[in-house]
């Protein structure tokens, strides 16, 4: 049986300062510092890669020397369990570990609101900073929106690569964010007025370790941030950042289901694209959705054909084995929307313009061009593309695109400060909120406490689902001090 | 348990398009109902109202784009340069 698909998203936001001396690294630091000054005490991210007691199960308390903390770039942990930091000249937010795709949507939306609050805090300090939830600047520079999924270590990596690639190549028709123009070097200007994905122009390999150059469709980073003997974390770099909540749900929910099927060896080997790198670009460059790609067995299929087969298999899998691995509510909702989007794309596309980002954006671009008689290369159309992702309330176009929402605004608001209750992020977030001065550092798989005496104490969290509210909620409520807590944790 | 909108008929439907879809599903429901042949005109009326509504909605959307689009789009697009990331 597939293990729980604990998951999360890391988003690098585009950032722009006004003025000729704009430095994106400094701007990103200013943005985050402004937010932290306005909201909470800072707790540093802990870069120490050592895992004392690598085979520890659940909680054990180890003594440790002070970890080395890198301080030159802002890097912090929030009380909702997320990480907020400067990465590659962009502000980046990693959601806390979530149990379901619906929770990922909630924390992804909270991330957007954290960026908006940061922009307001920076403005109050006199700096106008513009942030965009997109993945390229239209000039060949790309930055990522990565997903992470927990998988059983025993699943052969070769099987994952063989079976998931068709989904990664084709899922963009369902969850792509859309882009005016092309940034692929082999495409002549004007050849691709509009394409499905922000990211597809930037993939050059089928499999590999890179994330910033020669980007691979399947990334091989093996850094589980949990017990490496039991788990791997599949790091997915092929996706676009979504403005549509439904798109985020389906992006993460459908992918989690496909990975659960692969883990259970229930997907099969027959759905393999012959040339994935060429195919991902060809599919993105064809918003008519009619172009076929060659499969390894000689068939030709459209991306929608591939998604239809995956959807049918996922539906059958859910009926036979249930949705425990991805969460019953989130899994069934993701399946419903996946089905509805695939049907809409194959029929009247306007029906899904309120949930599919690339369709919503395409409708704006085409209707605007028609109203004003604009050529495809007109800068106003690229401005619509950029402003679709603009997080300024007075400039953003996604918020005007009549997109459907899934999460109640009060749920988004609470996710800005409150951690998920059903993963170890609960322990991280609650400790930070309760003892901000005594948690000296944190990372995904441990917390470091400074009790005012030598030495620092590290609490490893090698199990992503332990440390949830059911397991440690009462313990945290009853502990008056971190010393209390550590005394109770040390069995 | 999160409160969420279901794809059809449940929870809060947001946006005019959602309204159009609701009308369309009502229309499908009417067609499959036994009294279908009694009121064929009202089906067409629903469709026409839906498509007028869609057009009006897109017109509103385009007005909003005109309002919020960067006044110097060309400069904005030209100056939008990011460092590559992951």
């Amino acid at each position: 049986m597939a293990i729980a698909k604990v998951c999360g998203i890391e988003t690098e936001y585009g950032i722009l300062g006004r003025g000729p001396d704009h430095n994106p690294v400094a701007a990103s630091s200013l943005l985050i510092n402004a937010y932290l000054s306005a909201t909470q005490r800072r707790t540093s991210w802990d870069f120490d890669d050592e895992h004392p007691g690598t085979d520890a199960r659940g909680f054990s308390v180890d003594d440790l020397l002070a970890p080395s903390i890198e301080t030159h770039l802002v890097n912090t942990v929030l009380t909702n369990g997320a990480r907020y930091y400067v990465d590659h000249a962009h502000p980046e937010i990693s959601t806390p570990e979530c149990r379901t795709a619906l929770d990922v949507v909630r924390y992804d939306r909270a991330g957007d609101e954290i960026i908006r609050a940061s922009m307001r805090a920076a403005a109050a300090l006199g700096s106008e900073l513009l942030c965009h939830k997109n993945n390229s600047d239209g000039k060949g520079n790309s930055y990522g929106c990565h997903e992470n999924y927990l998988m059983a270590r025993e699943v052969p990596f070769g099987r994952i690569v063989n079976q998931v690639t068709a989904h990664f190549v084709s899922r963009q028709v369902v969850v792509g964010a859309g882009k005016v123009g092309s940034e692929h070097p082999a495409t002549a200007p004007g050849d691709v007025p509009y394409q499905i994905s922000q990211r597809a122009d930037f993939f050059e390999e089928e499999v590999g370790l890179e994330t910033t150059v020669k980007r691979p469709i399947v990334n091989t980073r093996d850094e589980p941030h949990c017990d490496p003997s039991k788990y791997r974390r599949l790091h997915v770099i092929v996706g676009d950042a979504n403005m549509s909540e439904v798109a985020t749900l389906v992006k993460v929910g459908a992918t989690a289901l496909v990975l659960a099927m692969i883990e259970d060896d229930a997907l099969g080997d027959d759905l393999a694209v012959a040339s994935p790198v060429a195919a991902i670009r060809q599919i993105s460059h064809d918003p008519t959705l009619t172009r076929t790609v060659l499969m390894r067995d000689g068939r030709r299929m459209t991306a929608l054909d591939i998604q239809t087969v995956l959807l049918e298999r996922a539906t059958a899998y859910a009926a036979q084995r249930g949705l425990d691995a991805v969460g019953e509510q989130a899994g069934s909702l993701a399946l419903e929307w996946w089905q509805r989007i695939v049907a809409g794309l194959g029929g009247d596309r306007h029906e899904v313009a309120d949930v599919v980002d690339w369709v919503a954006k395409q409708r704006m671009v085409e209707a605007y061009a028609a109203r004003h008689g604009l050529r495809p290369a007109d800068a106003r159309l690229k401005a619509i593309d950029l402003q679709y992702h603009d997080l300024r309330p007075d400039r953003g176009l996604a918020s005007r695109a009549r997109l459907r929402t899934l999460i109640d605004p009060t749920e988004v608001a609470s996710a800005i400060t409150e951690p998920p209750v059903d993963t170890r992020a609960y322990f991280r977030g609650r400790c930070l909120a309760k003892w901000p001065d005594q948690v000296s550092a944190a990372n995904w798989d441990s917390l470091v406490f400074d009790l005012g005496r030598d030495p620092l104490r590290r609490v490893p969290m090698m199990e992503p689902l332990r440390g949830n509210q059911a397991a440690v909620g009462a313990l945290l409520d009853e502990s008056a001090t971190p010393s209390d807590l550590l005394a109770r944790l040390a069995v | 348990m999160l409160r969420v909108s279901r794809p059809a008929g449940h929870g809060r439907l947001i946006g005019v398009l959602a309204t159009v879809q609701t009308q369309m599903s009502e229309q499908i429901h009417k067609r499959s109902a036994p009294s279908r042949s009694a009121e064929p005109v009202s089906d067409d009326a629903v469709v026409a109202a839906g498509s007028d509504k869609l057009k009006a909605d897109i017109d509103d959307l385009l007005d909003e784009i005109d309002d919020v689009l960067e006044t110097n789009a060309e400069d904005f697009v030209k100056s939008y340069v990011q460092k590559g990331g992951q």
Side-chain angles (χ1 to χ4, degrees):
Chain A
M1 203 54 208
I3 63 167
K5 288 284 150 283
V6 178
C7 48
I9 283 188
E10 3 181 323
T11 306
E12 290 182 310
Y13 292 84
I15 186 164
L16 205 61
R18 295 292 204 191
D21 299 330
H22 165 65
N23 171 337
V25 178
S28 300
S29 297
L30 197 158
L31 182 84
I32 299 171
N33 279 324
Y35 180 78
L36 295 175
S37 303
T39 55
Q40 71 171 66
R41 186 200 171 279
R42 167 179 327 201
T43 298
S44 295
W45 190 256
D46 174 10
F47 284 91
D48 197 318
D49 283 329
E50 284 186 27
H51 303 304
T54 40
D55 60 348
R57 298 289 183 272
F59 290 97
S60 63
V61 180
D62 295 342
D63 290 340
L64 194 85
L65 297 174
S68 57
I69 295 170
E70 203 174 326
T71 52
H72 66 283
L73 289 177
V74 186
N75 204 316
T76 193
V77 196
L78 305 179
T79 57
N80 70 357
R83 180 185 179 198
Y84 189 15
Y85 53 118
V86 182
D87 197 19
H88 297 273
H90 296 271
E92 175 160 346
I93 294 182
S94 295
T95 66
E97 304 90 327
C98 295
R99 178 63 184 81
T100 72
L102 255 181
D103 251 1
V104 171
V105 178
R106 191 156 66 96
Y107 283 93
D108 182 64
R109 282 285 297 108
D112 297 346
E113 295 311 317
I114 288 167
I115 295 287
R116 288 197 172 103
S118 304
M119 289 161 68
R120 289 194 299 273
L125 299 173
S127 294
E128 190 192 354
L129 300 174
L130 283 55
C131 293
H132 288 70
K133 191 187 188 185
N134 60 4
N135 304 103
S136 96
D137 63 358
K139 299 172 181 68
N141 302 307
S142 184
Y143 30 101
C145 175
H146 298 174
E147 304 139 63
N148 297 294
Y149 301 90
L150 192 70
M151 296 199 71
R153 170 64 60 177
E154 68 218 29
V155 180
F157 196 72
R159 188 204 298 167
I160 299 174
V161 173
N162 276 332
Q163 299 188 357
V164 85
T165 301
H167 180 55
F168 285 169
V169 167
S170 63
R171 70 175 191 167
Q172 56 179 314
V173 299
V174 176
V175 299
K179 183 164 78 177
V180 170
S182 167
E183 296 165 277
H184 191 267
T187 310
D191 279 0
V192 182
Y194 189 82
Q195 64 176 301
I196 290 168
S197 156
Q198 292 258 304
R199 280 283 267 185
D201 285 336
F202 301 100
F203 285 83
E204 301 175 57
E205 306 282 344
E206 291 179 30
V207 188
L209 190 56
E210 303 284 353
T211 56
T212 58
V213 292
K214 292 201 173 300
R215 294 182 181 91
I217 293 169
V218 180
N219 184 271
T220 56
R221 180 184 296 181
D222 189 2
E223 193 185 13
H225 295 311
C226 57
D227 186 342
S229 69
K230 294 168 70 176
Y231 305 115
R232 73 167 71 249
R233 170 180 63 115
L234 187 69
H235 188 56
V236 178
I237 70 168
V238 78
D240 292 353
N242 290 107
M243 302 305 292
S244 158
E245 294 183 10
V246 173
T248 303
L249 174 77
V250 177
K251 176 173 68 180
V252 177
T255 300
L257 256 173
V258 167
L259 293 172
M261 284 193 281
I262 292 172
E263 203 163 276
D264 282 340
D265 215 356
L267 183 59
D269 271 326
D270 58 324
L271 215 53
V273 177
S275 305
V277 174
I280 198 170
R281 191 170 70 248
Q282 286 165 4
I283 289 167
S284 183
H285 288 186
D286 173 36
T288 68
L289 303 181
T290 53
R291 184 176 296 178
T292 58
V293 296
L294 182 65
M295 307 299 283
R296 257 188 236 156
D297 61 11
R299 280 181 293 173
R300 298 201 68 94
M301 297 176 80
T302 66
L304 210 47
D305 293 337
I306 297 171
Q307 283 293 297
T308 303
V309 173
L310 287 166
L311 173 62
E312 285 166 1
R313 290 183 190 179
T315 306
Y317 171 86
Q320 286 160 14
R321 311 213 189 187
L323 289 164
D324 282 352
V326 296
E328 188 65 43
Q329 185 198 17
S332 64
L333 195 64
L335 264 179
E336 276 182 73
W337 274 115
W338 191 10
Q339 195 278 329
R340 182 133 166 205
I341 292 171
V342 165
L345 290 171
D348 180 2
R349 204 175 291 175
H350 281 297
E351 280 190 21
V352 292
D354 60 344
V355 287
V356 178
D357 279 314
W358 73 266
V359 175
K361 187 191 285 180
Q362 183 185 36
R363 192 176 66 159
M364 282 184 166
V365 167
E366 290 184 349
Y368 195 82
R371 172 186 273 196
H372 294 286
L374 306 180
R375 291 172 301 107
D378 194 287
R380 280 168 282 183
L381 303 182
K382 189 63 191 175
I384 291 176
D385 179 358
L386 293 173
Q387 282 182 243
Y388 185 82
H389 305 269
D390 197 323
L391 293 182
R392 291 174 296 174
D394 58 334
R395 294 286 182 189
L397 289 178
S399 60
R400 293 169 167 83
R402 282 67 167 165
L403 295 176
R404 218 181 255 255
T405 59
L406 290 170
I407 312 288
D408 191 277
T410 59
E411 301 272 8
V412 176
S414 70
I416 292 171
T417 52
E418 302 295 319
V421 297
D422 45 11
T423 69
R424 66 185 177 189
Y426 179 81
F427 183 75
R428 181 186 311 118
R430 281 289 315 275
C431 285
L432 279 165
K434 194 161 178 172
W435 300 297
D437 295 325
Q438 283 120 330
V439 177
S440 71
N443 63 22
W444 297 119
D445 56 24
S446 69
L447 276 186
V448 179
F449 288 91
D450 182 352
L451 304 180
R453 309 184 297 268
D454 55 343
L456 298 174
R457 310 281 302 272
R458 178 190 290 268
V459 179
M461 305 185 288
M462 302 307 283
E463 288 288 338
L465 289 178
R466 299 231 188 128
N468 60 19
Q469 187 176 39
V472 301
L475 200 65
L476 280 162
D477 291 341
E478 289 159 13
S479 300
T481 67
S483 301
D484 269 3
L485 175 74
L486 297 193
R488 288 161 191 255
L489 283 174
V491 182
Chain B
M1 187 70 78
L2 275 175
R3 281 172 291 149
V4 296
S5 309
R6 310 296 300 186
H10 304 278
R12 193 158 56 103
L13 295 177
I14 292 180
V16 176
L17 280 176
T19 312
V20 172
Q21 284 174 346
T22 307
Q23 287 170 345
M24 289 168 88
S25 45
E26 280 165 5
Q27 169 206 343
I28 289 163
H29 179 71
K30 277 181 192 166
R31 277 186 181 157
S32 57
S35 64
R36 169 187 159 220
S37 56
E39 296 180 87
V41 179
S42 77
D43 282 1
D44 293 343
V46 170
V47 172
S51 105
D52 281 354
K53 185 111 183 63
L54 184 64
K55 189 176 179 309
D57 187 47
I58 288 178
D59 280 343
D60 289 348
L61 178 60
L62 295 178
D63 290 343
E64 287 183 57
I65 295 176
D66 274 328
D67 287 343
V68 305
L69 203 64
E70 290 282 347
T71 40
N72 194 334
E74 190 147 356
D75 277 0
F76 176 69
V77 168
K78 203 175 286 177
S79 69
Y80 193 85
V81 180
Q82 298 287 317
K83 285 254 197 277
Q86 296 211 50

